[in-house]
Amino acid sequence: MINVAILGYGTVGAGVYKVLHMNREKIAERVGEELNVRYVLDLRDFPGDPCEDVLTHDYNDILNDPDVAIVVETMGGLRPAFEFTKKAICAGKSVCTSNKELVAEHGVLLRDLAKENNVNYLFEASCGGGIPIIHALDSSLTADEIDRVSGILNGTTNYILTAMTDKGQSFEEALREAQKNGFAELHPEADVEGWDACRKIAILSSIAYGRHITYKDVATEGITNIDAVDIAYAGVMGLKIKLLAMSRNTDDGTWAMVAPMLVDADNLLYNVNGVLNAVYLHGNAVGDVYFYGSGAGSLPTASAVAGDIVSCARHLRKTLRSDWTSEPMKMISSEDVKFRYFVRFSGTEEEAKTVFGEIEPIRVEQAEGEFGFMTGEFSRKEFDEKAELSGRVVKAIRRA
């Protein structure tokens, strides 16, 4: 029997507990012996809940128990999750987590520490919920040179943008609906400002390219500035607005960014709606690969965590190989990357042509005193110079 401890009995922690019990026999068959939840750590009490018999309020009960081989950290945040994780690894216990904030901030350090202690630090659920993307990068795609990673990595923002597109809701209405349905937090800044997707693309890109990319080097824009007029313009053009996280590994260096972008129907991300997530990779041998599935929710995320638990149980006292190193990636600014821009313009067509060249004006009923058009390719610096010169740009959104 292999003993497991779960830190935090919230949405994901409770889901992990449920999956380990629901699939107990199948997991035991695949591991070769039974997995047993010996402890659940939480500050709260849960009268009548199945976890009640194994509930503890003292982390030292777990840390000092030599029979606990695997610790599951689903607390979220940096503190005390970092201290608890570090202590568990140093005590010879493998750790599995869904905590993307912790992985983005201290993932390299914790992976190196796990290697020193012959245990594992695994975090499949930190990126894309139930989508098995990290395992694929760490194993199935290791013979490829990955040069592109992009996708929809945040279910909350995708739900909001889908509601704005399909139901004609305002940003505020869609956010309230997401909160009511449990798809958005009471304080949703990490999602709607793009910070959550920023951390995830930093993690995925680091693993894909083999060198460390800090989330602080990822240029990040959220969706709080997207309104019903933007959605209307996109609809007229046969496009949709999606919050995309992307990175490219080039001969000159690597760039990464998160921003709302216009995608067309030929892009597979066009049909990724609601809380679903999708990740696109390009390798020099495999070509284009897409991963698609539930990006959030108790059981999908718990499924990914439970998969990591099984991996740890199969490799007790043996560290699984990873190509993610602490060596920093050579980064270049995404501001130098050229995109086409959709521009909302409050001046005349002649004024727009004078600055941006030939254009095809687009008009929607929802926008008075303005029109839209698509530009050629510009770096952000080049575009900003033209926007400043015209003095008439209301808003601009990149075309993916």
Side-chain angles (χ1 to χ4, degrees):
M1 180 181 291
I2 299 173
N3 288 307
V4 177
I6 299 173
L7 312 184
Y9 200 65
T11 300
V12 178
V16 172
Y17 186 92
K18 182 174 182 179
V19 169
L20 292 180
H21 282 76
M22 179 172 64
N23 297 332
R24 177 189 295 271
E25 293 182 4
K26 182 59 68 174
I27 290 172
E29 180 182 323
R30 289 171 176 168
V31 172
E33 55 185 304
E34 185 180 349
L35 294 186
N36 173 57
V37 179
R38 191 175 180 98
Y39 298 98
V40 169
L41 175 73
D42 205 289
L43 294 175
R44 301 164 293 175
D45 291 311
F46 301 93
D49 191 277
C51 80
E52 190 175 17
D53 292 339
V54 295
L55 186 66
T56 179
H57 302 306
D58 187 353
Y59 177 63
N60 288 315
D61 290 343
I62 297 168
L63 186 64
N64 297 327
D65 188 338
D67 292 331
V68 173
I70 302 169
V71 171
V72 180
E73 186 273 297
T74 57
M75 305 171 72
L78 295 179
R79 291 183 175 82
F82 174 62
E83 289 81 2
F84 285 4
T85 298
K86 186 176 179 180
K87 287 179 180 178
I89 291 173
C90 290
K93 306 177 191 297
S94 289
V95 177
C96 307
T97 187
S98 59
N99 188 343
K100 83 279 293 183
E101 185 177 359
L102 180 58
V103 176
E105 189 74 43
H106 298 298
V108 172
L109 183 154
L110 292 170
R111 269 208 167 182
D112 288 347
L113 194 61
K115 185 176 181 180
E116 292 173 13
N117 286 274
N118 296 316
V119 294
N120 285 290
Y121 180 60
L122 303 183
F123 41 85
E124 181 66 69
S126 68
C127 297
I131 302 173
I133 178 64
I134 292 176
H135 178 75
L137 286 169
D138 263 343
S139 57
S140 305
L141 295 172
T142 50
D144 266 76
E145 184 85 21
I146 304 297
D147 57 19
R148 287 180 240 164
V149 181
S150 65
I152 295 170
L153 300 179
N154 183 268
T156 298
T157 50
N158 204 42
Y159 181 91
I160 291 170
L161 291 172
T162 299
M164 293 176 70
T165 300
D166 293 350
K167 300 179 182 180
Q169 295 179 340
S170 67
F171 172 82
E172 292 76 16
E173 289 170 336
L175 174 57
R176 284 195 296 270
E177 182 179 277
Q179 290 169 324
K180 179 181 177 181
N181 292 330
F183 299 137
E185 301 288 343
L186 178 62
H187 301 288
E189 291 80 9
D191 295 315
V192 299
E193 296 292 354
W195 306 334
D196 177 79
C198 163
R199 292 185 174 95
K200 291 174 180 176
I201 193 64
I203 295 167
L204 290 177
S205 301
S206 295
I207 297 170
Y209 308 144
R211 291 181 174 83
H212 183 54
I213 296 175
T214 173
Y215 67 92
K216 297 171 185 176
D217 286 337
V218 179
T220 303
E221 299 174 25
I223 65 167
T224 54
N225 199 36
I226 300 298
D227 59 29
V229 177
D230 299 320
I231 299 295
Y233 275 120
V236 167
M237 294 185 288
L239 307 175
K240 288 182 181 178
I241 300 174
K242 299 289 186 181
L243 183 69
L244 299 189
M246 58 176 58
S247 68
R248 299 287 186 274
N249 191 20
T250 72
D251 291 338
D252 296 325
T254 301
W255 59 266
M257 68 182 300
V258 173
M261 297 197 182
L262 290 156
V263 299
D264 62 34
D266 292 333
N267 189 323
L268 289 180
L269 299 177
Y270 180 92
N271 289 314
V272 179
N273 296 316
V275 295
L276 292 172
N277 281 191
V279 182
Y280 159 76
L281 306 173
H282 180 268
N284 65 346
V286 72
D288 296 336
V289 180
Y290 285 86
F291 296 80
Y292 172 79
S294 296
S298 176
L299 292 185
T301 305
S303 173
V305 177
D308 280 347
I309 296 170
V310 169
S311 293
C312 288
R314 285 174 167 175
H315 301 88
L316 292 177
R317 308 304 303 173
K318 180 182 179 182
T319 305
L320 295 168
R321 181 178 173 83
S322 172
D323 293 324
W324 182 10
T325 70
S326 58
E327 182 181 348
M329 177 67 74
K330 177 187 174 184
M331 301 296 293
I332 58 177
S333 175
S334 61
E335 299 288 292
D336 297 326
V337 180
K338 293 191 175 185
F339 288 94
R340 297 181 69 192
Y341 287 83
F342 172 73
V343 177
R344 289 172 53 183
F345 199 77
S346 63
T348 66
E349 291 183 28
E350 285 304 316
E351 288 175 312
K353 289 178 181 179
T354 299
V355 176
F356 291 98
E358 288 300 316
I359 61 168
E360 294 184 12
I362 302 166
R363 289 181 168 82
V364 295
E365 293 180 1
Q366 294 88 337
E368 295 183 6
E370 67 171 66
F371 63 94
F373 59 87
M374 196 72 69
T375 73
E377 291 190 343
F378 298 111
S379 69
R380 187 70 203 199
K381 180 181 178 181
E382 290 169 337
F383 177 82
D384 287 345
E385 288 175 349
K386 290 180 178 296
E388 184 177 357
L389 180 62
S390 73
R392 296 290 189 174
V393 172
V394 177
K395 189 183 296 185
I397 302 173
R398 294 176 181 85
R399 171 76 181 268

